Amino acid sequence: MTRFKAVLKLAAPWAARNADVAIALVLAIVVGVLGLLPEDIFGKDGGADVQKQLVTAATLAVLALVATALLRDRARQAPVERAITSGALAELPVRLRRLEEIETLAHSTRSALDALQLVRVLGSQHEIAQCHDEARRDTARWSFKGGTGTYLRAVTLPSCVAAARRDKRHLTVRIEVIDPADPEVCEAYAHYRRSLSDVPDGTGETWTTDRARKESYATILAAFWYRQRYGLLDIAVVLSSTMTTFRWDISSTRLIMTVEDPNMAMTALAGTFYYENCDTELRLSFEQARRVPLEMYKKVPLGDEPTIEEVQELFERIGTPLPKSYDGRDVVDIARKALRAVDPYGKQLPDVHRGVS
């Protein structure tokens, strides 16, 4: 009895909230029971008719209650549907437009912030090398302005030419280095490098006026050598009578500005304010420097291993003769620096120039 009362207490609130459904359920049970009862219970004469009438009446009552419940539910749902239709759904197009506007604004804000971030500081030798790798990747052009172009000859130029040759695409290179025929600028550059460190650098050499001169001659020789071996290379070299303490490398995708500290550099992506202005600066500086006549590359052919005579004749023909004090060992040293330069910040790329011969 106690259990029955407990069940009744739980069922009573539900039955009160759903009276019509509860009555329909009870009547359905009654109809089912009436249909199962024997006909003689309702009387021997006409019991079957009485049973049918009771079942029919109860069935109609159940249907009426069900219909009433459906109508009541629809009446309750109608205000909700109207609210949804006239409210949230009606405002949906407006909200979608606002979301699009917010997305556009966020994109514009991000672009503006990227543009305002002029440079990113690179704080390690590994990070600088990785940045150079990314800059060289699939680039169609490279501009350099610096001292003598040692790293350019050791890594940048052979890597870019080899990649362009592999993909059979055009490559434009612009190089500005100090004038080897100007002893004052060579001495100024060597003095500056010695003032920072008087010990041998990553190449194993110390900086002297003669070394600065040879490094610059080597850059000129390397430009002719690569031009003769890759027809889609558009390379130009100019010689400056003033030195710079910075080195600029600009590719299609980024700018990298390095200093003598191998663990410090700055970079900026293409399209930023700093990139575009540095690119303009290098173009103007390039136009004002003394141009090397690289269009004469066909007149003085260089072998895979240039001979002393070939190197001497090349510099004579382009109007930048080697010093008379240079002997055969000096010329060989220039050729070695041109085609087998040692990376001052890492490992040497052995015989990388053979990939373009």
Side-chain angles (χ1 to χ4, degrees), residues 7 29 124 191 219 331:
V7 174
I29 295 173
S124 70
H191 176 74
T219 298
V331 177

XYZ file of all heavy atoms in Angstrom, residues 7 29 124 191 219 331:
45
model
N 3.895 5.741 -5.683
C 3.733 5.838 -7.141
C 2.660 6.840 -7.497
O 2.767 7.617 -8.454
C 3.416 4.447 -7.731
C 3.100 4.557 -9.217
C 4.597 3.500 -7.509
N -7.118 2.212 -22.265
C -7.002 0.957 -21.520
C -8.371 0.307 -21.338
O -8.541 -0.909 -21.503
C -6.332 1.221 -20.161
C -4.876 1.703 -20.379
C -6.351 -0.033 -19.307
C -4.196 2.158 -19.105
N 69.614 34.905 -33.235
C 70.555 33.786 -33.199
C 71.046 33.488 -34.605
O 70.383 33.804 -35.597
C 69.899 32.535 -32.598
O 68.925 32.011 -33.469
N 89.717 48.214 -42.037
C 89.926 48.811 -40.712
C 88.684 48.648 -39.839
O 88.799 48.343 -38.638
C 90.279 50.286 -40.869
C 90.427 51.000 -39.564
N 91.513 50.824 -38.734
C 89.602 51.891 -38.923
C 91.378 51.566 -37.657
N 90.219 52.226 -37.737
N 83.838 38.604 -56.140
C 82.410 38.755 -56.407
C 82.165 39.086 -57.875
O 81.231 38.563 -58.502
C 81.821 39.854 -55.499
O 81.979 39.465 -54.129
C 80.343 40.064 -55.787
N 95.991 35.532 -58.069
C 94.893 35.294 -59.012
C 94.160 34.004 -58.662
O 92.921 33.941 -58.688
C 95.424 35.253 -60.454
C 94.287 34.942 -61.423
C 96.096 36.581 -60.817
